[in-house]
mmCIF file of all heavy atoms in Angstrom:
data_model
loop_
_atom_site.group_PDB
_atom_site.id
_atom_site.type_symbol
_atom_site.label_atom_id
_atom_site.label_comp_id
_atom_site.label_asym_id
_atom_site.label_seq_id
_atom_site.Cartn_x
_atom_site.Cartn_y
_atom_site.Cartn_z
ATOM 1 N N SER W 130 79.232 76.008 8.993
ATOM 2 C CA SER W 130 77.994 75.960 9.706
ATOM 3 C C SER W 130 77.047 77.015 9.070
ATOM 4 O O SER W 130 76.479 77.924 9.705
ATOM 5 C CB SER W 130 78.241 76.383 11.213
ATOM 6 O OG SER W 130 78.795 77.576 11.296
ATOM 7 N N PHE W 131 76.999 76.963 7.723
ATOM 8 C CA PHE W 131 76.115 77.926 7.058
ATOM 9 C C PHE W 131 74.712 77.571 7.090
ATOM 10 O O PHE W 131 74.318 76.394 7.111
ATOM 11 C CB PHE W 131 76.598 78.109 5.544
ATOM 12 C CG PHE W 131 77.989 78.593 5.356
ATOM 13 C CD1 PHE W 131 78.792 78.049 4.462
ATOM 14 C CD2 PHE W 131 78.349 79.767 6.129
ATOM 15 C CE1 PHE W 131 80.030 78.522 4.251
ATOM 16 C CE2 PHE W 131 79.587 80.260 5.917
ATOM 17 C CZ PHE W 131 80.583 79.600 4.895
ATOM 18 N N ASP W 132 73.826 78.534 7.114
ATOM 19 C CA ASP W 132 72.440 78.439 6.992
ATOM 20 C C ASP W 132 72.121 78.345 5.490
ATOM 21 O O ASP W 132 72.064 79.198 4.827
ATOM 22 C CB ASP W 132 71.687 79.543 7.681
ATOM 23 C CG ASP W 132 70.125 79.435 7.577
ATOM 24 O OD1 ASP W 132 69.721 78.526 6.817
ATOM 25 O OD2 ASP W 132 69.426 80.150 8.340
ATOM 26 N N TRP W 133 71.890 76.954 5.161
ATOM 27 C CA TRP W 133 71.787 76.773 3.651
ATOM 28 C C TRP W 133 70.333 77.224 3.069
ATOM 29 O O TRP W 133 70.126 77.159 1.927
ATOM 30 C CB TRP W 133 72.034 75.365 3.324
ATOM 31 C CG TRP W 133 73.431 75.066 3.477
ATOM 32 C CD1 TRP W 133 74.081 74.241 4.477
ATOM 33 C CD2 TRP W 133 74.506 75.526 2.643
ATOM 34 N NE1 TRP W 133 75.348 74.220 4.381
ATOM 35 C CE2 TRP W 133 75.733 74.982 3.253
ATOM 36 C CE3 TRP W 133 74.709 76.315 1.582
ATOM 37 C CZ2 TRP W 133 76.970 75.232 2.698
ATOM 38 C CZ3 TRP W 133 75.936 76.565 1.072
ATOM 39 C CH2 TRP W 133 77.052 76.084 1.640
ATOM 40 N N ASP W 134 69.530 77.829 3.966
ATOM 41 C CA ASP W 134 68.299 78.375 3.411
ATOM 42 C C ASP W 134 68.505 79.844 3.237
ATOM 43 O O ASP W 134 67.501 80.579 2.869
ATOM 44 C CB ASP W 134 67.194 78.078 4.476
ATOM 45 C CG ASP W 134 66.826 76.604 4.459
ATOM 46 O OD1 ASP W 134 66.951 75.936 3.380
ATOM 47 O OD2 ASP W 134 66.452 76.111 5.523
ATOM 48 N N ARG W 135 69.690 80.415 3.499
ATOM 49 C CA ARG W 135 69.855 81.878 3.339
ATOM 50 C C ARG W 135 71.141 81.922 2.393
ATOM 51 O O ARG W 135 72.207 81.961 2.861
ATOM 52 C CB ARG W 135 70.160 82.574 4.556
ATOM 53 C CG ARG W 135 69.086 82.640 5.577
ATOM 54 C CD ARG W 135 69.509 83.470 6.701
ATOM 55 N NE ARG W 135 68.606 83.456 7.847
ATOM 56 C CZ ARG W 135 67.686 84.370 8.138
ATOM 57 N NH1 ARG W 135 67.498 85.408 7.258
ATOM 58 N NH2 ARG W 135 66.885 84.321 9.137
ATOM 59 N N VAL W 136 70.850 81.916 1.184
ATOM 60 C CA VAL W 136 71.891 81.816 0.111
ATOM 61 C C VAL W 136 71.633 82.911 -0.874
ATOM 62 O O VAL W 136 70.437 83.115 -1.278
ATOM 63 C CB VAL W 136 72.056 80.439 -0.559
ATOM 64 C CG1 VAL W 136 73.140 80.441 -1.612
ATOM 65 C CG2 VAL W 136 72.501 79.366 0.579
ATOM 66 N N LEU W 137 72.569 83.644 -1.431
ATOM 67 C CA LEU W 137 72.293 84.477 -2.496
ATOM 68 C C LEU W 137 73.466 84.453 -3.566
ATOM 69 O O LEU W 137 74.566 84.177 -3.247
ATOM 70 C CB LEU W 137 72.073 85.906 -1.984
ATOM 71 C CG LEU W 137 73.275 86.674 -1.228
ATOM 72 C CD1 LEU W 137 74.230 87.230 -2.265
ATOM 73 C CD2 LEU W 137 72.699 87.775 -0.419
ATOM 74 N N GLN W 138 73.154 84.893 -4.729
ATOM 75 C CA GLN W 138 74.150 84.914 -5.823
ATOM 76 C C GLN W 138 73.921 86.401 -6.448
ATOM 77 O O GLN W 138 72.684 86.624 -6.988
ATOM 78 C CB GLN W 138 73.887 83.860 -6.722
ATOM 79 C CG GLN W 138 74.382 82.488 -6.235
ATOM 80 C CD GLN W 138 73.508 81.383 -6.582
ATOM 81 O OE1 GLN W 138 73.864 80.181 -6.381
ATOM 82 N NE2 GLN W 138 72.411 81.520 -7.209
ATOM 83 N N THR W 139 74.950 87.149 -6.398
ATOM 84 C CA THR W 139 74.591 88.524 -6.976
ATOM 85 C C THR W 139 74.306 88.627 -8.474
ATOM 86 O O THR W 139 73.853 89.584 -8.878
ATOM 87 C CB THR W 139 75.852 89.442 -6.674
ATOM 88 O OG1 THR W 139 76.924 88.891 -7.299
ATOM 89 C CG2 THR W 139 76.176 89.544 -5.176
ATOM 90 N N CYS W 140 74.628 87.553 -9.121
ATOM 91 C CA CYS W 140 74.221 87.576 -10.628
ATOM 92 C C CYS W 140 72.848 87.052 -10.871
ATOM 93 O O CYS W 140 72.388 87.090 -12.021
ATOM 94 C CB CYS W 140 75.228 86.627 -11.401
ATOM 95 S SG CYS W 140 75.194 84.988 -10.947
ATOM 96 N N ASP W 141 72.076 86.760 -9.803
ATOM 97 C CA ASP W 141 70.658 86.406 -10.007
ATOM 98 C C ASP W 141 69.869 87.756 -10.237
ATOM 99 O O ASP W 141 70.090 88.706 -9.464
ATOM 100 C CB ASP W 141 70.048 85.695 -8.803
ATOM 101 C CG ASP W 141 70.574 84.287 -8.610
ATOM 102 O OD1 ASP W 141 71.157 83.702 -9.668
ATOM 103 O OD2 ASP W 141 70.502 83.715 -7.595
ATOM 104 N N PRO W 142 68.918 87.723 -11.253
ATOM 105 C CA PRO W 142 68.100 88.868 -11.306
ATOM 106 C C PRO W 142 67.416 89.301 -10.161
ATOM 107 O O PRO W 142 67.188 90.484 -9.844
ATOM 108 C CB PRO W 142 67.153 88.511 -12.445
ATOM 109 C CG PRO W 142 67.842 87.440 -13.229
ATOM 110 C CD PRO W 142 68.706 86.705 -12.257
ATOM 111 N N ILE W 143 66.947 88.299 -9.291
ATOM 112 C CA ILE W 143 66.319 88.594 -8.059
ATOM 113 C C ILE W 143 67.169 89.437 -7.082
ATOM 114 O O ILE W 143 66.687 90.182 -6.222
ATOM 115 C CB ILE W 143 65.763 87.303 -7.427
ATOM 116 C CG1 ILE W 143 64.711 87.617 -6.334
ATOM 117 C CG2 ILE W 143 66.917 86.492 -6.841
ATOM 118 C CD1 ILE W 143 64.203 86.308 -5.709
ATOM 119 N N TYR W 144 68.373 89.264 -7.214
ATOM 120 C CA TYR W 144 69.388 90.052 -6.410
ATOM 121 C C TYR W 144 69.760 91.324 -7.113
ATOM 122 O O TYR W 144 69.476 92.411 -6.482
ATOM 123 C CB TYR W 144 70.699 89.329 -6.162
ATOM 124 C CG TYR W 144 71.559 90.136 -5.276
ATOM 125 C CD1 TYR W 144 71.549 90.030 -3.924
ATOM 126 C CD2 TYR W 144 72.602 90.970 -5.775
ATOM 127 C CE1 TYR W 144 72.302 90.730 -3.076
ATOM 128 C CE2 TYR W 144 73.280 91.762 -4.940
ATOM 129 C CZ TYR W 144 73.221 91.602 -3.593
ATOM 130 O OH TYR W 144 74.044 92.360 -2.660
ATOM 131 N N TYR W 145 70.166 91.412 -8.401
ATOM 132 C CA TYR W 145 70.619 92.641 -8.924
ATOM 133 C C TYR W 145 69.547 93.624 -9.373
ATOM 134 O O TYR W 145 69.774 94.797 -9.481
ATOM 135 C CB TYR W 145 71.621 92.367 -10.094
ATOM 136 C CG TYR W 145 71.116 91.769 -11.395
ATOM 137 C CD1 TYR W 145 70.332 92.608 -12.217
ATOM 138 C CD2 TYR W 145 71.521 90.586 -11.832
ATOM 139 C CE1 TYR W 145 69.925 92.151 -13.495
ATOM 140 C CE2 TYR W 145 71.130 89.981 -13.011
ATOM 141 C CZ TYR W 145 70.351 90.901 -13.931
ATOM 142 O OH TYR W 145 69.976 90.388 -15.101
ATOM 143 N N ARG W 146 68.294 93.051 -9.360
ATOM 144 C CA ARG W 146 67.208 94.015 -9.360
ATOM 145 C C ARG W 146 67.303 95.032 -8.382
ATOM 146 O O ARG W 146 66.943 96.282 -8.506
ATOM 147 C CB ARG W 146 65.891 93.210 -9.173
ATOM 148 C CG ARG W 146 64.710 94.018 -9.007
ATOM 149 C CD ARG W 146 63.624 93.310 -8.026
ATOM 150 N NE ARG W 146 62.689 94.351 -7.635
ATOM 151 C CZ ARG W 146 61.398 94.252 -8.022
ATOM 152 N NH1 ARG W 146 60.933 93.218 -8.627
ATOM 153 N NH2 ARG W 146 60.592 95.227 -7.690
ATOM 154 N N TRP W 147 67.691 94.587 -7.114
ATOM 155 C CA TRP W 147 67.734 95.634 -5.944
ATOM 156 C C TRP W 147 69.049 96.506 -6.085
ATOM 157 O O TRP W 147 68.990 97.577 -5.554
ATOM 158 C CB TRP W 147 67.723 94.843 -4.636
ATOM 159 C CG TRP W 147 66.349 94.157 -4.637
ATOM 160 C CD1 TRP W 147 66.048 92.793 -4.716
ATOM 161 C CD2 TRP W 147 65.053 94.695 -4.476
ATOM 162 N NE1 TRP W 147 64.804 92.500 -4.629
ATOM 163 C CE2 TRP W 147 64.087 93.691 -4.411
ATOM 164 C CE3 TRP W 147 64.751 96.024 -4.151
ATOM 165 C CZ2 TRP W 147 62.696 94.009 -4.322
ATOM 166 C CZ3 TRP W 147 63.298 96.369 -4.072
ATOM 167 C CH2 TRP W 147 62.292 95.313 -4.145
ATOM 168 N N ASN W 148 70.033 96.052 -6.816
ATOM 169 C CA ASN W 148 71.092 96.964 -7.065
ATOM 170 C C ASN W 148 70.590 98.130 -7.832
ATOM 171 O O ASN W 148 70.856 99.306 -7.601
ATOM 172 C CB ASN W 148 72.180 96.250 -7.983
ATOM 173 C CG ASN W 148 73.203 95.513 -7.275
ATOM 174 O OD1 ASN W 148 73.288 95.517 -6.035
ATOM 175 N ND2 ASN W 148 73.882 94.717 -7.929
ATOM 176 N N GLN W 149 69.678 97.762 -8.873
ATOM 177 C CA GLN W 149 69.112 98.803 -9.672
ATOM 178 C C GLN W 149 68.179 99.721 -8.920
ATOM 179 O O GLN W 149 68.185 100.850 -9.054
ATOM 180 C CB GLN W 149 68.458 98.200 -10.899
ATOM 181 C CG GLN W 149 69.372 97.345 -11.814
ATOM 182 C CD GLN W 149 68.733 96.500 -12.813
ATOM 183 O OE1 GLN W 149 67.606 96.096 -12.699
ATOM 184 N NE2 GLN W 149 69.479 96.171 -13.892
ATOM 185 N N TRP W 150 67.457 99.044 -7.995
ATOM 186 C CA TRP W 150 66.510 99.835 -7.239
ATOM 187 C C TRP W 150 67.244 100.809 -6.376
ATOM 188 O O TRP W 150 66.933 102.022 -6.262
ATOM 189 C CB TRP W 150 65.672 98.962 -6.357
ATOM 190 C CG TRP W 150 64.673 99.600 -5.456
ATOM 191 C CD1 TRP W 150 63.477 100.086 -5.895
ATOM 192 C CD2 TRP W 150 64.859 99.983 -4.103
ATOM 193 N NE1 TRP W 150 62.858 100.650 -4.821
ATOM 194 C CE2 TRP W 150 63.721 100.588 -3.701
ATOM 195 C CE3 TRP W 150 65.905 99.697 -3.209
ATOM 196 C CZ2 TRP W 150 63.489 101.045 -2.393
ATOM 197 C CZ3 TRP W 150 65.618 100.191 -1.882
ATOM 198 C CH2 TRP W 150 64.513 100.846 -1.503
ATOM 199 N N LEU W 151 68.345 100.389 -5.750
ATOM 200 C CA LEU W 151 69.160 101.232 -4.870
ATOM 201 C C LEU W 151 69.738 102.349 -5.718
ATOM 202 O O LEU W 151 69.850 103.465 -5.352
ATOM 203 C CB LEU W 151 70.199 100.366 -4.224
ATOM 204 C CG LEU W 151 69.756 99.482 -3.043
ATOM 205 C CD1 LEU W 151 70.710 98.427 -2.615
ATOM 206 C CD2 LEU W 151 69.473 100.367 -1.783
ATOM 207 N N PHE W 152 70.295 101.968 -6.940
ATOM 208 C CA PHE W 152 70.904 102.966 -7.829
ATOM 209 C C PHE W 152 69.926 104.122 -8.067
ATOM 210 O O PHE W 152 70.198 105.301 -7.954
ATOM 211 C CB PHE W 152 71.294 102.350 -9.119
ATOM 212 C CG PHE W 152 71.797 103.290 -10.210
ATOM 213 C CD1 PHE W 152 73.202 103.508 -10.294
ATOM 214 C CD2 PHE W 152 70.972 104.077 -10.948
ATOM 215 C CE1 PHE W 152 73.676 104.351 -11.184
ATOM 216 C CE2 PHE W 152 71.423 104.998 -11.837
ATOM 217 C CZ PHE W 152 72.803 105.154 -12.010
ATOM 218 N N LEU W 153 68.706 103.721 -8.371
ATOM 219 C CA LEU W 153 67.619 104.734 -8.571
ATOM 220 C C LEU W 153 67.238 105.595 -7.364
ATOM 221 O O LEU W 153 67.050 106.815 -7.466
ATOM 222 C CB LEU W 153 66.382 104.115 -9.192
ATOM 223 C CG LEU W 153 66.551 103.508 -10.563
ATOM 224 C CD1 LEU W 153 65.432 102.678 -11.076
ATOM 225 C CD2 LEU W 153 67.009 104.602 -11.611
ATOM 226 N N GLU W 154 67.294 104.899 -6.171
ATOM 227 C CA GLU W 154 67.143 105.609 -4.918
ATOM 228 C C GLU W 154 68.300 106.695 -4.651
ATOM 229 O O GLU W 154 68.066 107.790 -4.273
ATOM 230 C CB GLU W 154 67.018 104.711 -3.812
ATOM 231 C CG GLU W 154 65.779 103.830 -3.674
ATOM 232 C CD GLU W 154 64.522 104.705 -3.417
ATOM 233 O OE1 GLU W 154 64.600 105.551 -2.588
ATOM 234 O OE2 GLU W 154 63.498 104.449 -4.164
ATOM 235 N N PHE W 155 69.414 106.198 -5.026
ATOM 236 C CA PHE W 155 70.667 107.204 -4.853
ATOM 237 C C PHE W 155 70.447 108.228 -5.873
ATOM 238 O O PHE W 155 70.677 109.436 -5.585
ATOM 239 C CB PHE W 155 71.916 106.292 -5.215
ATOM 240 C CG PHE W 155 72.467 105.483 -4.074
ATOM 241 C CD1 PHE W 155 71.672 104.827 -3.181
ATOM 242 C CD2 PHE W 155 73.808 105.373 -3.917
ATOM 243 C CE1 PHE W 155 72.089 104.001 -2.173
ATOM 244 C CE2 PHE W 155 74.253 104.717 -2.845
ATOM 245 C CZ PHE W 155 73.469 104.002 -1.945
ATOM 246 N N TYR W 156 69.974 107.948 -7.092
ATOM 247 C CA TYR W 156 69.885 108.994 -8.139
ATOM 248 C C TYR W 156 68.834 109.945 -7.673
ATOM 249 O O TYR W 156 69.085 111.234 -7.856
ATOM 250 C CB TYR W 156 69.346 108.185 -9.387
ATOM 251 C CG TYR W 156 69.237 109.057 -10.560
ATOM 252 C CD1 TYR W 156 70.371 109.419 -11.372
ATOM 253 C CD2 TYR W 156 67.963 109.497 -11.180
ATOM 254 C CE1 TYR W 156 70.267 110.308 -12.455
ATOM 255 C CE2 TYR W 156 67.895 110.196 -12.325
ATOM 256 C CZ TYR W 156 69.065 110.667 -12.943
ATOM 257 O OH TYR W 156 68.991 111.446 -13.984
ATOM 258 N N LYS W 157 67.724 109.528 -7.091
ATOM 259 C CA LYS W 157 66.754 110.476 -6.593
ATOM 260 C C LYS W 157 67.300 111.436 -5.675
ATOM 261 O O LYS W 157 66.910 112.560 -5.588
ATOM 262 C CB LYS W 157 65.591 109.619 -5.883
ATOM 263 C CG LYS W 157 64.328 109.440 -6.573
ATOM 264 C CD LYS W 157 63.389 108.821 -5.604
ATOM 265 C CE LYS W 157 62.829 107.532 -6.195
ATOM 266 N NZ LYS W 157 62.016 106.749 -5.148
ATOM 267 N N ARG W 158 68.169 110.961 -4.813
ATOM 268 C CA ARG W 158 68.764 111.793 -3.764
ATOM 269 C C ARG W 158 70.033 112.524 -4.237
ATOM 270 O O ARG W 158 70.680 113.113 -3.390
ATOM 271 C CB ARG W 158 69.127 110.851 -2.611
ATOM 272 C CG ARG W 158 67.955 110.348 -1.840
ATOM 273 C CD ARG W 158 68.269 109.229 -0.871
ATOM 274 N NE ARG W 158 67.139 108.972 -0.066
ATOM 275 C CZ ARG W 158 66.117 108.299 -0.454
ATOM 276 N NH1 ARG W 158 66.029 107.889 -1.671
ATOM 277 N NH2 ARG W 158 65.032 108.017 0.411
ATOM 278 N N GLY W 159 70.309 112.401 -5.570
ATOM 279 C CA GLY W 159 71.464 113.185 -6.086
ATOM 280 C C GLY W 159 72.788 112.443 -5.625
ATOM 281 O O GLY W 159 73.789 113.092 -5.770
ATOM 282 N N LEU W 160 72.683 111.271 -5.264
ATOM 283 C CA LEU W 160 73.976 110.680 -4.875
ATOM 284 C C LEU W 160 74.459 109.668 -5.977
ATOM 285 O O LEU W 160 75.562 109.155 -5.904
ATOM 286 C CB LEU W 160 73.637 109.692 -3.714
ATOM 287 C CG LEU W 160 73.322 110.396 -2.354
ATOM 288 C CD1 LEU W 160 72.867 109.433 -1.346
ATOM 289 C CD2 LEU W 160 74.448 111.168 -1.919
ATOM 290 N N ALA W 161 73.718 109.639 -7.117
ATOM 291 C CA ALA W 161 74.265 109.026 -8.272
ATOM 292 C C ALA W 161 74.220 110.000 -9.378
ATOM 293 O O ALA W 161 73.154 110.577 -9.598
ATOM 294 C CB ALA W 161 73.404 107.729 -8.662
#
Side-chain angles (χ1 to χ4, degrees):
Chain W
S130 63
F131 295 135
D132 181 345
W133 290 108
D134 293 328
R135 295 185 191 260
V136 173
L137 64 80
Q138 288 142 172
T139 58
C140 63
D141 289 342
I143 195 178
Y144 184 86
Y145 69 72
R146 170 211 166 117
W147 298 105
N148 278 347
Q149 294 170 338
W150 181 81
L151 285 163
F152 177 95
L153 294 174
E154 290 294 315
F155 280 37
Y156 185 74
K157 254 189 238 170
R158 289 169 169 74
L160 294 171

